[in-house]
Amino acid sequence: MKVRLIDVDGHNFPNLPLMKLSAWHKQNDDDVGWYEPLTDWMEPADRVYMSKVFTFTPDYEHPVNAKKIIRGGTGYGYPNGGECLPDEIEHIYPDYNIYPELTKNTAYGFLTRGCPRGCDFCIVGSKEGSRSQKVADLSEFWRGQKNIVLLDPNITACPDWKELFQQLIDSGSWVDFSQGIDIRLMTEEKAEMLKRMKIKRVHFAWDNYGDKEMIVPKFKAFKEITGWDKRKMSVFVLTNFNTTFEQDLERVYTLRNIGFNPYVMIYNKQDLKRGNELLRLQRWVNSRVAFWAVDRFEDYK
């Protein structure tokens, strides 16, 4: 078969489903490559896979000539769900060769799926389920690469977290929890195991202002257990969703005072007009030099 792939979102981040489809088809001696509108239009493929992760990504702009076109991913299926990969493809070792620059000495994958939080701004619960559960061992997508990028939405909520943490420790690779770690579920044992991993920076989130009384002691305890400083600990601060500007600023100051690097995330940023205070706050906080040089937002020019 002549099989062609289309990464609708672009090639800025590896598309796991396409990597797995490529691996499966190559295993079956099919001719696999990226879809080229000019050449493939003249000689249609037997099958074209189009994958779109984000709902806001515009659809593929070129006409596609193929005997069969299969579209998948959250960008096409949400909120009504979408086609899942068959087990024999879902659990195959990905074809990292289709993204040679992005995956150089780096493995990407999920150890767990699902999240119990059910946050209104997040689609994970409705898409993957409200229970975090193990879906793979590390060996499914890692074979000695120096770096591991995990895409798990909430690995600390998984009952098998300890087993999975041990696999990451034993790998000896640098671990990036790209979607962050839930500080609300942090315990001394989890912090100690994270401390044993090779981690350049760990990400947390403080999305709900009302979590203040519970979440601040958790941050302080984590810092004390690990001994890490602000260079290694970043916290996403969700704004423009259900908080006031004063509450946003309070979270920023609190995190800085206890030794964490806040990072402002703006919900529906495209709706804000130029000059909005939230945009200025984001520029100040996310510019590390300006943030640590200017003590008060009021003094930021």
Side-chain angles (χ1 to χ4, degrees):
M1 291 177 61
K2 178 182 177 181
V3 178
R4 293 295 178 260
L5 313 171
I6 298 178
D7 183 346
V8 180
D9 300 291
H11 287 67
N12 297 318
F13 196 87
N15 184 295
L16 268 178
L18 292 182
M19 291 162 67
K20 293 178 180 181
L21 286 163
S22 176
W24 188 83
H25 277 286
K26 287 180 179 179
Q27 184 175 280
N28 287 276
D29 297 322
D30 292 328
D31 171 18
V32 183
W34 293 111
Y35 183 81
E36 297 291 344
L38 295 179
T39 55
D40 289 320
W41 177 256
M42 302 299 295
E43 184 183 347
D46 295 294
R47 187 175 298 179
V48 169
Y49 293 100
M50 302 176 64
S51 181
K52 188 157 86 87
V53 175
F54 303 107
T55 55
F56 55 79
T57 300
D59 209 347
Y60 190 67
E61 62 180 2
H62 303 291
V64 179
N65 188 12
K67 297 176 183 177
K68 186 175 184 180
I69 300 174
I70 300 176
R71 296 174 176 85
T74 305
Y76 284 126
Y78 187 79
N80 299 315
E83 284 192 51
C84 296
L85 295 176
D87 278 352
E88 66 269 23
I89 300 179
E90 176 63 38
H91 296 287
I92 200 171
Y93 184 76
D95 178 11
Y96 290 105
N97 293 321
I98 66 174
Y99 293 100
E101 296 302 319
L102 296 177
T103 62
K104 185 178 180 181
N105 217 358
T106 303
Y108 293 80
F110 289 88
L111 294 173
T112 65
R113 292 274 197 172
C115 177
R117 291 299 179 187
C119 299
D120 292 337
F121 54 83
C122 179
I123 67 172
V124 170
S126 58
K127 175 172 168 278
E128 300 182 6
S130 58
R131 179 178 180 269
S132 177
Q133 55 187 332
K134 175 184 173 182
V135 295
D137 286 306
L138 181 60
S139 58
E140 185 170 294
F141 56 88
W142 173 80
R143 291 181 182 171
Q145 289 94 329
K146 182 180 178 182
N147 304 292
I148 298 169
V149 178
L150 296 176
L151 309 176
D152 303 48
N154 197 337
I155 191 171
T156 50
C158 178
D160 301 301
W161 70 267
K162 190 171 183 178
E163 172 197 347
L164 297 173
F165 273 25
Q166 190 61 55
Q167 291 182 22
L168 294 169
I169 293 170
D170 293 342
S171 74
S173 298
W174 289 98
V175 180
D176 177 4
F177 295 92
S178 67
Q179 301 305 302
I181 294 177
D182 193 340
I183 190 66
R184 293 165 292 186
L185 297 174
M186 189 56 57
T187 63
E188 183 176 351
E189 186 179 19
K190 289 175 181 176
E192 289 288 358
M193 292 193 77
L194 284 168
K195 187 178 178 180
R196 291 167 57 195
M197 293 180 203
K198 292 175 65 176
I199 298 177
K200 294 179 181 178
R201 179 174 295 157
V202 66
H203 305 277
F204 299 105
W206 184 358
D207 299 319
N208 301 304
Y209 175 80
D211 290 337
K212 178 181 177 181
E213 297 304 317
M214 178 266 291
I215 211 170
V216 172
K218 289 278 190 179
F219 281 129
K220 291 179 178 178
F222 182 83
K223 185 176 186 296
E224 183 177 346
I225 293 168
T226 60
W228 295 346
D229 64 18
K230 63 179 184 291
R231 293 171 296 181
K232 202 164 184 172
M233 301 183 297
S234 180
V235 181
F236 297 124
V237 178
L238 179 68
T239 65
N240 201 39
F241 185 70
N242 61 358
T243 55
T244 65
F245 184 81
E246 289 71 27
Q247 290 171 334
D248 298 336
L249 198 56
E250 181 183 343
R251 283 180 292 164
V252 166
Y253 286 147
T254 300
L255 288 168
R256 183 170 66 179
N257 290 340
I258 61 178
F260 286 76
N261 254 323
Y263 189 91
V264 171
M265 306 286 288
I266 301 178
Y267 186 77
N268 285 341
K269 182 178 179 178
Q270 68 277 5
D271 296 338
L272 298 182
K273 295 181 180 180
R274 186 176 180 181
N276 186 283
E277 284 290 85
L278 270 181
L279 297 176
R280 293 187 62 245
L281 179 69
Q282 185 182 55
R283 283 197 300 271
W284 174 56
V285 174
N286 297 358
S287 172
R288 297 303 187 208
V289 174
F291 181 64
W292 290 98
V294 181
D295 288 338
R296 308 293 297 175
F297 174 67
E298 295 82 356
D299 300 324
Y300 172 65
K301 305 295 183 183

